Amino acid sequence: MIHKTVREHEDDDHLCERKTVFHKSPRFLFISLTVFALSRKLCNICWRRAQAECILLGKNTHDNESKSKYREDRGYMSLKGWLGRKRALAMLGKRPITGSIQPISDRLDENIAMLQTIFTLTPDLIIRTFESNFAEGRVALVYLSGLVDKNSINNNMLRPLLNPTSNADTSIVDLLSVGAISNAYDMETVEAEILQGSSVLLIEGRTEACVVETHGWPQRAVEDPQMEASLKGAHQGFVETDIQNIALIRRYLPNRELKIKQLRVGERGKTKLSIMYMEDIASPDVLKEMEDRIKLLSIDAVINTGELAELIEDNPFSPFPQLVTTERPDSVASHLLQGRIAVVVDRSPSVLVGPATFASFFQTVDDYSTRWPVATFIRLLRYMAFLVATFLPECISRSCHVCLFFSNR
């Protein structure tokens, strides 16, 4: 409660009394709402932790083995240099994967019926069956029309397969003129590959499917970044395709020490994340911490980079950003050369960089394209502007209160 004391002088007996006047200002409303939101958030966290503890410990809460196992499953990990705090509590009670793995049948009709059952109400699913000299029986080509490159399917797959000169002795790797070809042995893998934009070949009499990479979903061209415009830097920004974003970073760092680890996050969305780092510069402890935090996530899907940053940061209640988000490949390359780690999120036009320091948010790409005296002076101006914007309004408010207090005496 914000209040101030006003001393009023009475004309008759010159007695002084104090009255409390409450400020009905926006600042009072803001503080009240903030306290209410934090208390509600704290109650929700306590309730989730108590619920998870009951699930893990069960009824036998006095068993020492159960308690030690619970402490181990909580997954607290410390990292030196990562803001000096303990990591956030990993989400407990991950949903188990139910159901058994359905193998691919040697009968083509059963496989097609299974796919039609999986992809119900999916009008963009294409299943084309045809006879080919490559196989002894029929062949089915399955793909989603909006996620594939139709020119690649027509020219590099259907034309060789329908060629009368092809025979069963020819390997499919030698027959198809496409980049990546792999095998799948269960329907779960076939479903995942079709949803990712690949084409699947099902052959009569074979218990394996041929997965061909024919990605061709709609995407935009590389453009000038809108939020981080530069006068002297490059005019290229990230797009919504992770392969193109990795290629843009590789152009700045064509070095064999640039390593990439790919992970899948999400029970439903299966978002692909690429962890990029310089093997001879980045700290192994920081890399392991970043990788462990991502693996412990239990979520339906990661939609964008900002959502991922909120899930893996140290303090979710802090109003300050703890990880750098950028849409410039040259900025990511600069951070990688400083030993940081970049996370490329598929379907997001920005890249996450960490760990970050306070000074990281006052740097721009143009600082490295300007002479050091000018760049240093501009950076000092940014620090001064931050201090002025932070403390000047409160100083003015306090000064007004003091002036009002002495004016009423």
Side-chain angles (χ1 to χ4, degrees), residues 62-294:
H62 299 286
D63 188 5
N64 294 328
E65 295 182 358
S66 300
K67 289 183 178 181
S68 61
K69 185 178 183 300
Y70 168 66
R71 295 189 185 98
E72 292 177 359
D73 291 340
R74 286 170 69 180
Y76 277 112
M77 302 180 65
S78 61
L79 174 64
K80 296 180 180 179
W82 193 304
L83 303 180
R85 303 191 195 95
K86 291 183 178 179
R87 58 163 300 168
L89 180 66
M91 296 184 65
L92 300 174
K94 297 180 69 175
R95 288 176 294 179
I97 299 176
T98 59
S100 59
I101 298 177
Q102 180 68 29
I104 297 177
S105 174
D106 56 351
R107 299 183 59 182
L108 184 61
D109 294 335
E110 293 183 2
N111 295 330
I112 294 177
M114 180 66 66
L115 289 176
Q116 290 176 347
T117 303
I118 295 174
F119 294 95
T120 56
L121 300 177
T122 309
D124 55 343
L125 178 68
I126 306 299
I127 301 178
R128 178 176 178 180
T129 59
F130 54 90
E131 300 287 342
S132 176
N133 295 331
F134 165 75
E136 298 178 356
R138 294 181 302 162
V139 179
L141 176 62
V142 185
Y143 60 90
L144 292 175
S145 60
L147 300 179
V148 297
D149 185 3
K150 296 182 179 179
N151 293 328
S152 177
I153 292 178
N154 294 330
N155 299 328
N156 302 331
M157 293 185 62
L158 291 178
R159 183 173 295 177
L161 290 174
L162 296 176
N163 190 357
T165 60
S166 61
N167 52 64
D169 297 332
T170 306
S171 174
I172 192 170
V173 179
D174 300 330
L175 186 64
L176 302 181
S177 56
V178 291
I181 300 176
S182 60
N183 294 327
Y185 301 93
D186 54 83
M187 281 298 176
E188 284 73 12
T189 305
V190 171
E191 177 188 357
E193 293 294 339
I194 292 176
L195 292 174
Q196 293 297 327
S198 299
S199 299
V200 177
L201 283 174
L202 298 172
I203 304 173
E204 181 75 34
R206 298 189 183 183
T207 58
E208 61 180 16
C210 181
V211 179
V212 184
E213 184 177 344
T214 56
H215 301 162
W217 48 74
Q219 55 189 359
R220 64 184 178 93
V222 177
E223 300 175 352
D224 192 6
Q226 300 179 0
M227 301 299 296
E228 301 178 62
S230 176
L231 297 177
K232 298 183 179 180
H235 295 274
Q236 290 181 335
F238 290 123
V239 294
E240 287 77 13
T241 308
D242 62 334
I243 300 177
Q244 293 191 11
N245 295 339
I246 293 174
L248 290 174
I249 299 174
R250 280 196 180 276
R251 289 196 59 193
Y252 288 93
L253 296 174
N255 192 283
R256 62 182 181 182
E257 297 297 334
L258 180 61
K259 307 299 181 180
I260 303 174
K261 291 184 178 182
Q262 291 188 343
L263 303 173
R264 293 280 182 178
V265 177
E267 300 291 337
R268 301 178 184 272
K270 303 294 182 183
T271 306
K272 184 170 65 173
L273 306 181
S274 301
I275 303 176
M276 305 185 66
Y277 62 97
M278 300 296 292
E279 189 175 19
D280 57 340
I281 303 177
S283 172
D285 296 334
V286 177
L287 176 63
K288 186 177 184 304
E289 177 71 13
M290 177 73 78
E291 189 175 355
D292 291 341
R293 293 189 183 195
I294 294 176

